[in-house]
């Protein structure tokens, strides 16, 4: 898995971060975070699976103290090229999420954050272990906020069905590992509906809020299809903004965001 993300690192921002779809989906995530922490601008945050550091820089610009980690050393290298103009600089470092419990930090955290499917790289057993480890790293009433890919995505279903490819249309709907394509590289991926996350985390966390991310905004691999249809993409963004309040739609979106508070 490390090698796959190392290969993707130089192109990740072009393919996703700076794409029209990537920007629209990320705005929904940032709006969720802003609303969640509207009255607290001074949090200790650990980001896992930080990629090239876009979210870490955004969080730091909101006034938070951020340690941002990723399993890929190449992703961290790219992230470190971005911090020069930031006064409240995040700290970027390499970390395998499966070694979180044995990793020492100088502080405990108000928030552990993972964006855009990072937690989907964990098997069910690894994800359960993550919740145990994360609880130990959080302050009392600390939160985990994750952006996770569910087993169903309406836009994906419709797109591949119109292409006559039902196998791809329903590829997420399995309990087994899926070889997801990341910039031409295959990454082990598991898909989790919100109820599965709630069940895994229930002994350690309470559920605050769940919201769909990309119910109407399409998956990023459709960027080429939509980049000449920006007015239509704007309509889809408006629909996503309307539907984000309906948590039951989360299991039908490209991603969903879930907030959990330590018991």
């Amino acid at each position: 898995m490390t090698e796959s993300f190392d290969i993707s690192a130089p192109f990740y921002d072009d393919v996703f971060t700076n794409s029209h779809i990537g920007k629209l989906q990320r705005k929904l995530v940032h709006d969720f975070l802003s609303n969640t922490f509207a009255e607290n601008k001074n949090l200790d945050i650990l980001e896992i699976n930080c990629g090239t550091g876009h979210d870490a820089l955004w969080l730091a610009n909101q006034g938070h103290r951020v340690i941002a980690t990723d399993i890929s050393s190449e992703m961290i290298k790219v992230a470190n090229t971005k911090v020069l103009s930031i006064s409240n600089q995040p700290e970027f470092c390499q970390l395998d999420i499966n070694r979180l419990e044995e990793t020492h930090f100088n502080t405990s955290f108000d928030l552990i954050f993972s964006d855009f499917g990072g937690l989907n790289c964990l098997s069910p057993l690894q994800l359960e272990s993550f919740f145990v480890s994360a609880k130990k790293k959080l302050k009392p009433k600390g939160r985990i906020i994750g952006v996770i890919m569910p087993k169903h995505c309406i836009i994906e279903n419709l797109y591949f069905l119109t292409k006559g490819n039902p196998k791809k249309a329903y590829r997420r709907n399995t309990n087994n590992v899926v070889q997801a394509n990341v910039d031409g590289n295959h990454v082990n991926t598991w898909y989790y509906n919100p109820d599965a996350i709630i069940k895994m985390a229930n002994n350690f966390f309470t559920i605050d809020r769940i919201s769909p991310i990309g119910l109407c905004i399409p998956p990023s691999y459709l960027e080429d299809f939509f980049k000449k249809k920006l007015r239509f993409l704007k309509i889809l963004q408006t629909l996503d903004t309307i539907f984000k309040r309906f948590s039951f739609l989360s299991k039908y979106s490209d991603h969903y965001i879930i907030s959990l508070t330590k018991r």
Side-chain angles (χ1 to χ4, degrees), residues 62-160:
Q62 309 308 302
H64 305 302
R65 296 177 295 274
V66 183
I67 298 175
T69 69
D70 198 280
I71 193 172
S72 166
S73 60
E74 294 302 314
M75 288 286 191
I76 295 300
K77 285 181 183 178
V78 175
N80 272 317
T81 67
K82 301 180 178 182
V83 303
L84 297 180
S85 62
I86 305 298
S87 58
N88 184 32
Q89 293 187 0
E91 175 187 346
F92 291 106
C93 57
Q94 187 177 11
L95 174 67
D96 182 343
I97 187 175
N98 292 307
R99 304 186 69 175
L100 178 60
E101 182 159 358
E102 62 192 75
T103 304
H104 174 72
F105 299 99
N106 292 327
T107 184
S108 54
F109 299 96
D110 300 289
L111 170 66
I112 295 177
F113 174 62
S114 177
D115 208 353
F116 292 125
L119 294 177
N120 290 93
C121 294
L122 300 182
S123 70
L125 285 177
Q126 289 172 332
L127 191 52
E128 289 176 2
S129 296
F130 163 72
F131 286 122
V132 174
S133 301
K135 181 183 178 182
K136 297 175 182 178
K137 302 299 181 183
L138 287 168
K139 298 176 184 179
K141 300 300 181 181
R143 281 190 173 102
I144 294 174
I145 295 181
V147 181
I148 299 171
M149 294 181 288
K151 289 179 176 289
H152 307 278
C153 173
I154 289 177
I155 299 297
E156 183 169 276
N157 296 158
L158 293 174
Y159 177 76
F160 284 116

Side-chain angles (χ1 to χ4, degrees), residues 224-254:
D224 286 343
F225 180 80
F226 280 94
K227 66 183 178 182
K228 294 183 179 180
K229 303 174 178 65
L230 296 184
R231 289 185 180 179
F232 184 45
L233 201 56
K234 188 71 174 177
I235 293 171
L236 297 179
Q237 179 191 20
T238 300
L239 292 174
D240 246 301
T241 302
I242 293 170
F243 289 132
K244 69 181 181 180
R245 70 194 71 178
F246 301 110
S247 62
F248 72 93
L249 295 173
S250 296
K251 64 180 180 180
Y252 304 113
S253 56
D254 186 29

